[in-house]
Amino acid sequence: MNIQFLDLKPQYTSIQGEIHASIQQVLASGSFVLGKPVLDFENRFSEAHSVKHCIGVSSGTDANHLSLSMIDIGPGDEVIIPVNTFIATAWGATLCGSRPVFVDCHPESYNIDPLKIERAITKKTKAIVAVHLYGQATDMQPLQEIARRHDVHLVEDAAQAHLAEYNGKKVGGIGISAAFSFYPGKNLGAYGEAGALTTNDNEIARKARMFRDQGQSEKYHHDSYGHNYRMEAIQGAVLGVKLKYLPQWTAQRRAVAGKYRQLLGDLEQVSLPKEMPYAKHVYHLFVIRARRRDDLKAFLEQKGIGTGLHYPIPLHLQKAFQHLGYKKGDFPVAEKAADEILSLPMYPELTDQQIEYVCDSIREFYPQ
Ligand SMILES: *Cc1c(COP(=O)(O)O)cnc(C)c1O
């Protein structure tokens, strides 16, 4: 049996007719950037996350840059970033000219460890970025308290966490603003690049709409510094179709996770992702820890099963951040996790048979 780590084709097949119609409508309209499809999507996406504003942009990376720009982060400032995340979280800070300051992760949630944040805060710290990694919300309450105590902003990177919940509340409106990604492989994926910023703050929303569109308040009136971060109409139309199905797809992801738990729960050589009591996990990724991880990965590959590593190198050990002066040993929890984690195939359309094959293969690897 062949099981890709991520296969986007079955989902496309299931909604093909609607997708084609929505793209044809954009082609016929002759309007390809922003416009009605994007506006409609923005309205429905913010409603789905119980947040006031959604600003569609060109990628999740751009959304991270936008979110920090809107709170005036700039050169000389420091931004707290979890060391265990995709690098684009940190690009948000560097694109503003500020310095990312890394903090180790919690061994069970893999999200930033709230107990380790305060020792990283200095007089230059302006913001904390809470990443809801793998689809599980960060423990936001301690972060909110720290942000309040030190008078710094708290923003979210929700690129992996569409419809995820923290204590019953959707992510995206808990921090002052939140960045989402609609990269094709994300829980809600465009057919190309796209992202969004969400916020309950009217002023941030107004400024963000200008910033994404060359700083324009009206055509050729450039009131502020800006960028071309506009969402394409075709992506807005595709996302509009897909958003309807997102609750169902999210439930299917949770069911896949449940099946993995059922079939792997008793295996002592692997530990399964923990659902924290405050979180409703949306399983962008199903990340286990495994003994002899590299050998297991190679064995599964041989069996036709694709797996992933999220992420093999913590940010402080990336060449791109060498100049920041971190070294091996600085973030032991994230470093240990990087050597043990393995992401199993995860997408809504995985069948029971496929999940059983993955789990049987893992059992076969470990001698009983
Ligand atoms: C995917 C991702 C991003 C970047 O999103 P793009 O749309 O690929 O630019 C940022 N942060 C995290 C945590 C991500 O997973």
Side-chain angles (χ1 to χ4, degrees), residues 1 3 255-256 258-264 300 303 305 344-345 350-364:
M1 204 185 287
I3 303 169
V256 171
K259 183 93 184 161
Y260 274 136
R261 285 186 194 287
Q262 184 195 327
L263 297 176
L264 294 174
L300 294 175
K303 289 263 177 190
I305 299 166
L344 300 183
L350 273 176
T351 63
D352 281 358
Q353 209 191 359
Q354 289 173 312
I355 300 165
E356 281 157 20
Y357 179 72
V358 173
C359 297
D360 287 346
S361 302
I362 293 173
R363 286 180 173 280
E364 198 185 321

Side-chain angles (χ1 to χ4, degrees), residues 59-61 64 85-86 88-89 131 157 159-160 181 183 186 194 311:
S59 76
T61 307
N64 270 317
T85 180
F86 182 57
T89 309
V131 182
D157 180 340
Q160 304 188 356
S181 166
Y183 181 75
K186 297 289 158 79
Y311 294 90

Side-chain angles (χ1 to χ4, degrees), residues 204-253:
I204 286 179
R206 189 187 66 81
K207 279 169 34 189
R209 284 184 189 283
M210 283 207 297
F211 189 98
R212 78 165 166 191
D213 192 13
Q214 314 284 8
Q216 295 183 108
S217 54
E218 53 185 300
K219 198 160 188 167
Y220 303 132
H221 292 245
H222 306 274
D223 296 4
S224 67
Y225 183 75
H227 216 296
N228 177 359
Y229 278 170
R230 298 177 298 237
M231 186 189 277
E232 295 182 351
I234 285 180
Q235 305 312 336
V238 164
L239 290 167
V241 170
K242 285 188 161 197
L243 183 58
K244 281 192 301 209
Y245 299 99
L246 189 59
Q248 174 195 324
W249 290 334
T250 304
Q252 285 171 251
R253 282 177 184 274

